[in-house]
């Protein structure tokens, strides 16, 4: 199953594609989409929509995982992030991908790194180890890959009945559960 993960942002949107092949996760591709802060909001959203739709049409994902929005103290920033998320979700849906699942930043960090409060560098390192791809350099792309990993692992963890994600590790792209 091909999974597209997206970490939406108006200035920088990260994206990553993985393959969940019989329980083993494989890296396909990742990157970022950027827009100029000096451009009109409508132009930036359109560019984001077109770029994400192009990625979807290139990789033909079966499912998509999108990071949820955190409400910031600055309401304008929150509103712009919400616009970016909407553009991303519409682009994915316009290319006929369903389902589109949403995960909180804390969930994503827990699944990728084992700690819901992990910083971006720790998530990047964990994603690189999980996927065996040490050349990932963009934080937003690694966050998107972490969303895709979360989506791939969520059903397996639920099936195992594991509530503490710290009892999990991923080695060689495979999920390993440790006894309590």
């Amino acid at each position: 199953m091909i999974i597209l993960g997206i970490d939406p942002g108006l200035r920088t949107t990260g994206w990553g594609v993985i393959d969940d092949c019989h329980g083993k996760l494989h890296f396909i591709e990742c990157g970022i989409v950027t827009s100029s802060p000096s451009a009109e909001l409508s132009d930036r959203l359109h560019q984001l929509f077109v770029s994400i739709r192009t990625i979807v049409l290139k990789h033909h994902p079966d499912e998509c995982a999108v990071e949820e929005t955190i409400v910031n103290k600055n309401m304008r920033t929150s509103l712009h992030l919400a616009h970016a998320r909407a553009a991303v979700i519409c682009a994915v849906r316009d290319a006929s991908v369903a389902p589109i699942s949403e995960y909180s930043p804390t969930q994503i960090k827990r699944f990728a790194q084992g700690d819901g409060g992990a910083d971006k560098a720790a998530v990047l390192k964990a994603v690189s180890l999980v996927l065996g791809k040490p050349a990932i350099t963009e934080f937003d792309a690694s966050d998107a890959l972490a969303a895709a990993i979360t989506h791939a692992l969520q059903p397996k963890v639920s099936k195992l009945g594991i509530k503490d994600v710290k009892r999990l590790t991923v080695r060689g792209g495979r999920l390993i559960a440790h006894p309590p």
Side-chain angles (χ1 to χ4, degrees):
M1 171 174 48
I2 304 297
I3 303 168
L4 170 63
I6 301 176
D7 177 20
L10 188 56
R11 185 174 299 200
T12 306
T13 291
W15 61 272
V17 183
I18 64 172
D19 183 10
D20 182 358
C21 184
H22 306 294
K24 184 166 171 58
L25 305 179
H26 300 277
F27 172 84
I28 296 177
E29 190 177 8
C30 68
I32 58 171
V33 174
T34 59
S35 70
S36 171
S38 62
E40 291 291 324
L41 177 62
S42 60
D43 292 335
R44 295 173 77 185
L45 294 171
H46 183 256
Q47 178 186 0
L48 180 56
F49 178 92
V50 170
S51 297
I52 294 299
R53 191 172 188 286
T54 300
I55 292 162
V56 170
L57 294 174
K58 176 182 178 184
H59 292 287
H60 303 287
D62 300 299
E63 297 182 3
C64 180
V66 178
E67 186 172 306
E68 291 177 342
T69 301
I70 295 178
V71 177
N72 297 302
K73 290 180 183 177
N74 182 331
M75 291 307 289
R76 183 181 171 126
T77 302
S78 295
L79 185 58
H80 283 182
L81 182 55
H83 286 318
R85 276 186 85 249
V88 163
I89 290 169
C90 287
V92 172
R93 194 64 195 103
D94 188 60
S96 300
V97 175
I100 299 171
S101 300
E102 300 175 59
Y103 300 95
S104 73
T106 303
Q107 282 178 295
I108 292 169
K109 290 174 184 178
R110 270 195 203 122
F111 270 90
Q113 204 273 334
D115 178 5
D119 65 15
K120 287 188 174 284
V123 172
L124 185 141
K125 182 178 178 183
V127 166
S128 295
L129 289 171
V130 166
L131 298 175
K133 194 72 177 165
I136 300 166
T137 58
E138 297 286 345
F139 287 136
D140 294 305
S142 71
D143 287 351
L145 287 166
I149 291 167
T150 299
H151 185 72
L153 298 181
Q154 179 71 41
K156 296 168 182 72
V157 170
S158 295
K159 188 175 181 181
L160 292 171
I162 296 172
K163 299 211 185 317
D164 183 7
V165 179
K166 291 182 180 181
R167 290 188 35 224
L168 299 172
T169 56
V170 182
R171 288 196 193 114
R174 292 200 183 275
L175 179 66
I176 299 168
H178 304 284

